[in-house]
Amino acid sequence: MPRLPAVLVAAATVGLAMAAAVVLAPRPAAAEEVGCVSTVWKMVGPDHKICVDAFADPKIDGVVCHVSRARTGGVKGAFGLAEDTSDAAIACRQVGPITIKTPLKDGEQVFSERRSVLFKTLQVVRFHDKPHNTLVYLIYSDKLIEGSPKNSISTVPIMPWRE
């Protein structure tokens, strides 16, 4: 049986390692839609809306965040070509006993959503304010060239849970 050149074997090994890293890398939380309200009626395509989604922090049991943001409708919105605004709000709450499952890294992304076809992303990152025993969640949007200063935060004090 012929042997593969070492370069091909090395390239295949690197490719498999990269694919495994992508598959095994921690992923931001997936959101579940809570509901939407129409803000502008569009004759063609979906209306402009404000939507609320919920997601649980993937590394912390007992914390749920709700995110609201605008969704552009119309023809561009229907085909996913619209760029949504950077307006967003967040509210995070303790919903059960808080258990930190793995060590936390300040500024770690816990939620992400594309806001345009290219370059714009809505993100939620988490900080652990250890001196005040509080989790801080920051929502903002960024672009490849220029992000937006619009942001919102929510804090969750780490407290005992009484049922």
Side-chain angles (χ1 to χ4, degrees):
M1 175 177 260
R3 296 183 69 181
L4 293 173
V7 171
L8 289 178
V9 172
T13 303
V14 169
L16 286 172
M18 290 174 62
V22 168
V23 170
L24 299 175
R27 297 182 190 258
E32 299 173 13
E33 187 173 286
V34 174
C36 297
V37 295
S38 293
T39 58
V40 175
W41 179 79
K42 302 300 282 181
M43 188 181 318
V44 179
D47 295 346
H48 295 324
K49 297 177 181 179
I50 297 173
C51 294
V52 176
D53 287 344
F55 68 88
D57 188 317
K59 287 192 173 180
I60 302 174
D61 287 338
V63 175
V64 171
C65 295
H66 290 86
V67 174
S68 70
R69 69 258 182 262
R71 286 195 185 148
T72 304
V75 175
K76 284 184 176 181
F79 290 105
L81 301 174
E83 181 173 314
D84 293 324
T85 68
S86 296
D87 302 301
I90 187 167
C92 300
R93 299 293 182 266
Q94 181 175 3
V95 296
I98 291 180
T99 305
I100 299 173
K101 298 186 273 190
T102 62
L104 302 178
K105 180 178 148 195
D106 277 346
E108 183 174 19
Q109 183 184 75
V110 293
F111 176 78
S112 174
E113 177 182 81
R114 291 181 61 136
R115 302 299 285 159
S116 71
V117 176
L118 300 171
F119 312 126
K120 190 172 186 179
T121 306
L122 181 76
Q123 297 187 56
V124 175
V125 295
R126 176 199 338 96
F127 297 90
H128 186 187
D129 179 0
K130 289 180 184 176
H132 300 104
N133 202 30
T134 300
L135 300 167
V136 180
Y137 293 85
L138 167 69
I139 188 169
Y140 67 98
S141 68
D142 64 358
K143 269 183 155 177
L144 183 63
I145 304 298
E146 181 179 343
S148 170
K150 294 179 181 180
N151 66 83
S152 180
I153 68 166
S154 185
T155 60
V156 179
I158 300 172
M159 311 251 317
W161 185 256
R162 301 181 208 280
E163 296 201 24

